[in-house]
Amino acid sequence: MTKIRSTTVCAVIHNGEVAIGADGQATMGNTVAKSNVKKIRKLQDGKIVTGFAGSTADAFTLLEKFDEKLNAFGGSMKRAAIELAKEWRTDRYLRKLEAMMIVADKEEVLVISGTGDVLEPDNQIATIGSGSMYAQSAALALKKHAGDKLSAEDIVRESLNIAADICIYTNHNLVIEKVK
């Protein structure tokens, strides 16, 4: 079976702003299957923004579960993330899902994985997906030297563009959202 690869997602908190973005590429084997996949979603009227990497169907399943958890816990992102990770790890069906998520609100960014991890990344930068290490390296350097010259959105955009220049599974069709 041909493995579907896709995505670089990057989230940054900088100077009180939070932005999250992703490229639009989905690759099947050595072929670009789709170049404009929307991997960023707003929840809770834009107060929480999510990005996903991995199998699209699996990611949508997790997104729906995360939204259910948000509603069950009054919009508390961290609590919803922890409860989703616990269920993801223990539920036989969910355990087989192959995806990761970044979730962000106006104060923090979290990475949620199927191994039960809910990680609050160092340096207020989170990346997942095929080009994640390229985007993370770029975001770290940009944030370190940006001061007030770049916004969180600028850092996310430039980091994803650098990843797209290097990673064959990442393209320049970017969707970037700021958290309200």
Side-chain angles (χ1 to χ4, degrees):
M1 178 173 271
T2 304
K3 182 162 176 87
I4 297 175
R5 297 176 185 250
S6 62
T7 295
T8 301
V9 180
C10 179
V12 173
I13 299 174
H14 182 67
N15 291 338
E17 294 180 333
V18 182
I20 183 170
D23 75 305
Q25 184 165 306
T27 309
M28 189 176 295
N30 60 1
T31 304
V32 175
K34 187 168 173 74
S35 64
N36 61 351
V37 178
K38 188 172 186 260
K39 304 165 190 169
I40 303 296
R41 296 287 188 271
K42 292 181 183 180
L43 302 173
Q44 303 282 304
D45 296 319
K47 293 177 187 157
I48 296 176
V49 181
T50 67
F52 61 84
S55 166
T56 304
D58 290 356
F60 279 120
T61 300
L62 293 170
L63 185 63
E64 288 173 10
K65 285 285 190 189
F66 181 65
D67 197 28
E68 288 173 14
K69 299 293 183 194
L70 282 170
N71 291 328
F73 295 103
S76 171
M77 184 181 77
K78 188 174 270 186
R79 178 78 189 273
I82 291 166
E83 294 301 320
L84 173 63
K86 286 181 357 186
E87 185 176 347
W88 192 353
R89 186 176 173 141
T90 58
D91 184 275
R92 284 185 178 183
Y93 171 72
L94 292 179
R95 246 192 333 238
K96 294 179 179 165
L97 300 181
E98 294 183 10
M100 290 183 76
M101 294 175 61
I102 294 177
V103 297
D105 64 15
K106 65 183 179 180
E107 296 173 4
E108 65 186 338
V109 173
L110 302 171
V111 177
I112 309 171
S113 78
T115 58
D117 295 318
V118 176
L119 304 171
E120 188 171 355
D122 295 334
N123 304 309
Q124 299 179 313
I125 296 168
T127 60
I128 57 174
S130 303
S132 64
M133 291 301 103
Y134 306 119
Q136 184 174 3
S137 297
L140 286 166
L142 288 165
K143 185 174 175 165
K144 181 177 180 179
H145 299 287
D148 293 333
K149 295 176 187 168
L150 296 175
S151 67
E153 185 177 359
D154 294 332
I155 294 171
V156 168
R157 178 175 287 105
E158 290 307 311
S159 299
L160 289 170
N161 278 320
I162 288 168
D165 289 341
I166 300 168
C167 178
I168 64 170
Y169 301 113
T170 304
N171 70 14
H172 290 277
N173 292 341
L174 308 180
V175 172
I176 301 170
E177 295 285 351
K178 292 194 296 187
V179 179
K180 288 184 182 179

